[in-house]
Amino acid sequence: MKADTNLLNQPLALTNGSVLRNRLAKASMSETLGTYDNRPTLGLIELYRRWAASGLGLIITGNVMIDRRALGEPGNVVIEDERDLPLLQQWAKAATDQGAAIWAQLNHPGKQSAKGLNERNIAPSAVPFREDMAALFETPREATVVEIQDIIGRFGRTAAVCKKAGFSGVEIHAAHGYLLNQFLSPHHNRREDEWGGTPEKRRRFVLAVYAEIRRQVGDDFAVAIKLNSADFQRGGFTEEESMETIRALVEAGIDLIEISGGTYEDPAMSGALHVPKKSSTAAREAYFLEFAAKVRASLDVPLMVTGGFRSAAGMNDALRSGALDVVGLARLLAIDPDAPSALLQGRDSEQRVRPIVTGIKPVDRMGVMEVLWYTRQLKRIAKGGEPKPHEGGLSAFLKSVLAGGWGTYRTRRLRARS
């Protein structure tokens, strides 16, 4: 494929006035490269400099948490104030100095945080995880209205610090079973007050977070959102509710919507549940392209789809269909951080994303290795090394469990001293 016919090379103008230099984006992945007291590190700068050098148009960070009391994993970066502004500026410049836009993904885990990491986990309602996951995740406490208002304000403050640090924008994480997704889901949100009880009230929290961020950063700063097409969970967030949420966000002025799907309990975002029913669907590489086409048919908003893309031809076919504007890549960039350079020239990466299994059925069912194994590859790149695409799943799992246990202990100890 010639570079001049490769749709990946086309720039994209967003409604806030910014322009992405091409249609390739690095989607969010869990890095856990922060310190155990949740501050950014030089490893993040090295990793993002490597990705920016590959030619990506947009780079979205891993989880940036808005509250030190609400971590998703040990080693999360937390931004509550300007204490780490110099390092945050270096992180942003690692991308922008090479022409890439960089958006910080802002998140609150809600109930989706491993047992013992936080002093307590809150959620819209006190709904436990399914039985086989109860040993890993505690039943959360229902959030109070005061706590809900505090969280909304924290999203805004974190976004404002990111803007001051030189990030090109922020992405609100409202997918994959985290807090904002929990508020949207009738399974997790069983409230009967102004924050739940109907689809309109369940999406009130997401809209309030967006409004507060926009109030604090202004109209010239990119604000995007990552949203599930559906939760793929009985009684969860449906495609119909997702479409109505997208409609409300478009009316509110969102700059871009990234479409994904699934939760920790049903990890469709990793492909674990993506079994196409039609041959025409199977021929498409992207997991959520069909839903994106439905959105595009009724709404005018830049769309990014992440999950399942394998080839330059498949990415171009998706762009040519008009169903999306930005191709999101994640796992491929953990095993081949230079892949965008080839894709922008119309060539495929020599690496292929493969299922990561341990042989331990409960672990493999959760899809947890789609986080743990790839996180180990990112840490290698952050140290100036190369990933190990053929690392075994079981050994990576055992090493990750040991590291995670130590990280949880260190995080709790440091919090107790502060």
Side-chain angles (χ1 to χ4, degrees), residues 82-97:
E82 297 183 14
R83 73 182 74 176
D84 295 315
L85 193 61
L87 266 178
L88 293 174
Q89 289 170 329
Q90 290 183 57
W91 188 5
K93 282 173 63 65
T96 58
D97 279 357

Side-chain angles (χ1 to χ4, degrees), residues 113-384:
S113 181
K115 187 177 289 186
L117 180 59
N118 302 317
E119 290 185 8
R120 53 100 177 102
N121 292 330
I122 60 175
S125 303
V127 179
F129 276 77
R130 68 181 192 225
E131 187 175 349
D132 64 330
M133 297 179 72
L136 300 176
F137 299 94
E138 64 186 20
T139 299
R141 175 175 60 75
E142 181 175 297
T144 67
V145 172
V146 171
E147 287 171 327
I148 290 171
Q149 295 289 359
D150 176 67
I151 291 168
I152 292 168
R154 285 175 176 273
F155 270 98
R157 285 194 295 276
T158 300
V161 175
C162 289
K163 181 178 181 179
K164 187 170 184 178
F167 284 84
S168 315
V170 294
E171 180 184 63
I172 304 164
H173 200 339
H176 300 174
Y178 293 111
L179 183 66
L180 276 80
N181 183 204
Q182 291 163 32
F183 266 90
L184 289 167
S185 166
H187 170 73
H188 298 289
N189 184 351
R190 303 181 186 182
R191 305 175 73 99
E192 294 295 336
D193 61 3
E194 65 268 38
W195 302 102
T198 67
E200 293 78 13
K201 289 181 178 179
R202 285 194 295 271
R203 59 177 171 262
R204 183 182 175 202
F205 181 63
V206 171
L207 293 170
V209 166
Y210 170 74
E212 178 62 17
I213 289 175
R214 183 61 77 194
R215 186 185 73 81
Q216 294 211 34
V217 301
D219 293 334
D220 61 345
F221 190 67
V223 182
I225 192 165
K226 186 168 191 170
L227 192 72
N228 275 0
S229 59
D231 290 350
F232 303 99
Q233 183 176 36
R234 186 184 298 276
F237 189 55
T238 64
E239 281 197 4
E240 292 74 21
E241 288 187 59
S242 182
M243 185 70 77
E244 289 307 308
T245 302
I246 291 172
R247 191 179 306 279
L249 286 162
V250 171
E251 291 174 358
I254 199 82
D255 290 306
L256 178 141
I257 294 173
E258 180 185 0
I259 294 172
S260 191
T263 68
Y264 276 18
E265 294 181 272
D266 295 279
M269 60 282 194
S270 70
L273 299 179
H274 186 72
V275 182
K277 296 182 174 128
K278 303 176 184 175
S279 59
S280 60
T281 304
R284 300 181 186 130
E285 293 183 355
Y287 300 152
F288 309 106
L289 193 60
E290 197 168 336
F291 179 73
K294 293 178 184 177
V295 176
R296 178 50 47 83
S298 60
L299 294 167
D300 183 18
V301 62
L303 295 176
M304 172 175 162
V305 175
T306 301
F309 286 111
R310 299 186 300 275
S311 66
M315 296 172 200
N316 270 271
D317 285 346
L319 288 168
R320 196 172 294 111
S321 76
L324 73 159
D325 304 282
V326 179
V327 170
L329 301 176
R331 291 173 292 174
L332 178 61
L333 300 188
I335 56 177
D336 183 3
D338 305 314
S341 179
L343 291 167
L344 291 167
Q345 296 175 53
R347 296 183 289 106
D348 294 341
S349 168
E350 295 181 2
Q351 298 296 335
R352 288 290 180 270
V353 172
R354 61 185 175 89
I356 306 298
V357 296
T358 65
I360 306 172
K361 288 184 178 179
V363 173
D364 294 338
R365 184 186 173 197
M366 283 190 289
V368 68
M369 294 311 297
E370 298 298 333
V371 175
L372 299 181
W373 188 91
Y374 287 95
T375 298
R376 288 176 57 79
Q377 310 312 317
L378 300 185
K379 291 181 186 298
R380 293 187 172 103
I381 303 169
K383 292 178 180 177

